Amino acid sequence: PELFLDHWGKPLFTTLAAPFAQFGIKGLMVMNTLLYVVSSFFLVDLARTLKMRFTWALPVLLAATPVYFQDVMSGLTEVLFATIFIVGLWAFAKERFILVALIVTWLPFARSEAYFVVPWFALAFLFKRQWLPVALLALGPLVMSIIGWFVFDDLIWIINKNPYTGAKDI
């Protein structure tokens, strides 16, 4: 079970990818392609919500992005992160703030860059005077802390097992 909670592997990605990984890299490519389709759907609807033109071009532009396309054809975590982020932005544009928080709270378990992204959502909630969503941003880390407590016998394993601790070992 500790492999599902490994920070390097990203717990959310590992959990969602495990069934697809049973079929090797091609299975992960299928998962990432499905995530691309989901991302495209939400990008198009987000663009329509924002009254943008040429929304049909967004899936094409997304697929044509070199690094993104390479990541879809791999087993990397970036596509999951992008999908969660896009769905979070879509929900924010629709002013479904509780849904945003329930989605975005899982970002740190898809990619570590979330530690730089989630605070912006928190600030946006504060700006909109949405107090419950601010609190709900703690749900993902709280749930993962409790799950990890049973595996690692450490309630703050998210901090203690984090490989990105800075330059203390250099």
Side-chain angles (χ1 to χ4, degrees):
E2 62 272 2
L3 294 178
F4 278 92
L5 299 174
D6 185 72
H7 279 295
W8 284 107
K10 300 301 169 212
L12 181 63
F13 177 83
T14 302
T15 302
L16 296 177
F20 294 94
Q22 303 310 304
F23 302 97
I25 189 67
K26 296 222 186 281
L28 292 173
M29 290 167 65
V30 167
M31 182 186 94
N32 280 342
T33 301
L34 291 171
L35 290 170
Y36 159 75
V37 170
V38 170
S39 294
S40 295
F41 172 81
F42 281 97
L43 270 177
V44 167
D45 197 56
L46 172 62
R48 286 182 181 148
T49 300
L50 299 175
K51 299 183 180 3
M52 297 174 73
R53 298 180 347 172
F54 306 111
T55 58
W56 59 268
L58 288 170
V60 175
L61 292 171
L62 183 60
T65 305
V67 173
Y68 184 85
F69 181 76
Q70 290 170 347
D71 287 349
V72 169
M73 296 299 132
S74 74
L76 297 174
T77 61
E78 284 84 348
V79 180
L80 176 62
F81 180 86
T83 302
I84 295 169
F85 185 68
I86 289 166
V87 174
L89 290 175
W90 169 85
F92 195 90
K94 299 283 186 177
E95 295 190 353
R96 298 179 183 169
F97 300 119
I98 291 174
L99 180 61
V100 175
L102 293 174
I103 293 167
V104 171
T105 189
W106 299 103
L107 273 175
F109 305 101
R111 296 265 323 148
S112 297
E113 289 81 0
Y115 295 118
F116 301 105
V117 173
V118 173
W120 289 104
F121 279 97
L123 283 173
F125 292 145
L126 292 172
F127 181 75
K128 294 273 193 179
R129 298 186 186 278
Q130 296 292 318
W131 316 122
L132 180 58
V134 173
L136 287 174
L137 287 176
L139 183 65
L142 179 63
V143 168
M144 293 303 286
S145 292
I146 292 169
I147 291 170
W149 188 18
F150 291 103
V151 176
F152 300 118
D153 197 30
D154 181 3
L155 187 59
I156 57 171
W157 70 272
I158 293 172
I159 296 167
N160 293 335
K161 297 254 182 222
N162 191 337
Y164 308 105
T165 56
K168 72 174 186 176
D169 295 330
I170 297 175

